[in-house]
Amino acid sequence: MSPAKNAEILKKSLIFSSLNEDELSALAGLAAERSFQPDEFILWEGDEPDYFYVVAEGQVKVVKNSSTGREFIIAFFGPGEMFGEVAVFEGKPYPASAQATSACRILAIKRQSFLDFLATRPQVALRIINILGGRLRDAQGRLKDFAGERVEQRLARILLMLASRMGTTLRFTRQELADMAGTTTETAIRVTGGLSERGIIITSRGQIIIADEAKLKALAEGPPEI
Amino acid sequence: MSPAKNAEILKKSLIFSSLNEDELSALAGLAAERSFQPDEFILWEGDEPDYFYVVAEGQVKVVKNSSTGREFIIAFFGPGEMFGEVAVFEGKPYPASAQATSACRILAIKRQSFLDFLATRPQVALRIINILGGRLRDAQGRLKDFAGERVEQRLARILLMLASRMGTTLRFTRQELADMAGTTTETAIRVTGGLSERGIIITSRGQIIIADEAKLKALAEGPPEI
DNA sequence: CGCCTATTTGAAAACCGTCAAAGTATGTGG
DNA sequence: CCACATACTTTGACGGTTTTCAAATAGGCG
């Protein structure tokens, strides 16, 4: 892929949209493109943070494994979104693994090149602060959910969050939903089964369609009032 | 309190230690000092993000309330640490409330003044990226714990985290621990009681001393292997 | 068709929350 | 200095939610 094409991709991302043509070219020159097959790992938790990544095409999931072997999905990222950044900024090993969920093209920028680039672009730094702030807000909100809410509410909120990012047709398996909600596949099936019976969602293999977003929101807010 | 004293406080914080005397004075000039009594609220979840805050003296807790009325403690902050920053950067309402846990002196900087200051100081922006990155790493780690680990492990990890920041003598009530671990006071008491019987910690009213950090770490890693 | 993965269902058990009651430190005011 | 209020800690019993284990069904692809 040409550097010009890379610049196109970077321009579309939230982080770099403020850059002018020259800056985009400079950054694109630093980026190497890599391709990954579905289920292939892009980086592993514990690896040295040598690269900063931006998704060009496809979808990536960021996961951590618990001591009991269960997988926890921190987030999905699509075109224009960055990942692996926390480790790059801190210079510590990646805190989670990243795995392609579809055929992917990924832009990789060497850690030090990116930090140097950033040191002279306060606007980009501010943009990154914004994105990190948003992710932190999100993580702390989820933390509260995990601490205090039932599985049904957690799943409802996750479905709503996914819907706000990807529309009402969600191509995820129950197992992926379970791994996002911090529960088991069986429980996720039982809960989505309940939602399906109540006409709130329509389920099929590997896919969930949100049929009644209003009811789902009511459910996410709290337990059905008596 | 004099601006010079404010500059002293700011200098000691991680975020601003890279500033020179002039810059510190400029920033200190923007800061207003406020005092709070124990249990007094500094800001409320949902408020407009008018100020960015730095703790000068005392301790602050940041909390969210769940739909069932339970309190969840996101973090404690001490001298030199900032809070309310996510809202300030995003321009959205504070995502959580902040409450003094002891008599506090707090520096408050107007949102726009701080953003203007930041726009011309890339070094400070990078420092903030670092801090946000650290907090994000922390939040995502806790998220995984909440999703996959038992209460005993969650509590063990919280005790270790607190110990790494404050030493082995922890002045927190069981209820505060429960609110950090996302459990109930009773369960927190039962679990700490168990740890106490095994000689891993020493408990007394409003205080926990970590007696055997190695055992606590083993416990935090996973359930006791058979 | 056959295989692999995803979904489904059932039953038992574990973990933890809830409710209730009582005991114990700490500080306050008389 | 004592009585009292308050907050923190402790204990027990019970029940509900969720996990675990096991087995069966069904969709999609070569």
Side-chain angles (χ1 to χ4, degrees), chain B residues 18-226:
Chain B
S18 65
L19 296 180
N20 63 37
E21 294 302 324
D22 287 349
E23 292 176 312
L24 276 174
S25 305
L27 188 59
L30 300 175
E33 190 191 314
R34 303 197 205 157
S35 291
F36 294 89
Q37 299 304 312
D39 295 334
E40 200 177 344
F41 277 85
I42 298 157
L43 59 88
W44 289 87
E45 177 171 353
D47 282 356
E48 285 307 304
D50 296 329
Y51 292 92
F52 167 90
Y53 294 95
V54 177
V55 179
E57 193 181 303
Q59 193 187 47
V60 170
K61 70 176 175 185
V62 174
V63 301
K64 269 173 107 72
N65 289 94
S66 82
S67 65
T68 55
R70 259 216 325 258
E71 188 169 85
F72 175 66
I73 299 179
I74 291 176
F76 283 90
F77 294 117
E81 294 184 303
M82 63 175 178
F83 63 93
E85 76 292 336
V86 171
V88 163
F89 295 134
E90 290 197 297
K92 295 182 189 169
Y94 294 115
S97 306
Q99 188 178 13
T101 55
S102 63
C104 281
R105 288 190 303 115
I106 308 285
L107 298 184
I109 301 175
K110 269 209 184 277
R111 173 174 192 270
Q112 200 53 57
S113 310
F114 186 66
L115 291 180
D116 293 344
F117 180 85
L118 208 58
T120 56
R121 267 82 173 187
Q123 292 316 308
V124 178
L126 285 179
R127 194 61 66 95
I128 286 179
I129 286 178
N130 257 291
I131 292 172
L132 290 182
R135 290 189 185 174
L136 189 54
R137 174 193 291 261
D138 181 67
Q140 291 176 346
R142 281 175 84 188
L143 216 34
K144 185 212 63 177
D145 292 346
F146 277 71
E149 314 288 353
R150 299 271 132 87
V151 168
E152 188 174 63
Q153 266 119 298
R154 298 210 305 264
L155 261 174
R157 292 183 190 200
I158 282 169
L159 289 174
L160 288 169
M161 181 271 290
L162 293 172
S164 75
R165 287 184 48 183
M166 309 178 177
T168 53
T169 298
L170 303 172
R171 308 195 53 71
F172 294 99
T173 65
R174 307 307 145 82
Q175 180 170 333
E176 286 173 323
L177 285 181
D179 290 343
M180 284 185 258
T183 183
T184 59
T185 309
E186 293 93 327
T187 298
I189 286 170
R190 280 185 245 263
V191 172
T192 53
L195 296 179
S196 178
E197 274 175 22
R198 285 184 271 168
I200 297 174
I201 60 177
I202 300 163
T203 64
S204 55
R205 188 189 175 91
Q207 172 176 297
I208 287 177
I209 298 169
I210 296 178
D212 191 337
E213 196 161 340
K215 270 193 196 162
L216 194 57
K217 269 183 187 151
L219 206 61
E221 284 320 313
E225 317 292 337
I226 304 162

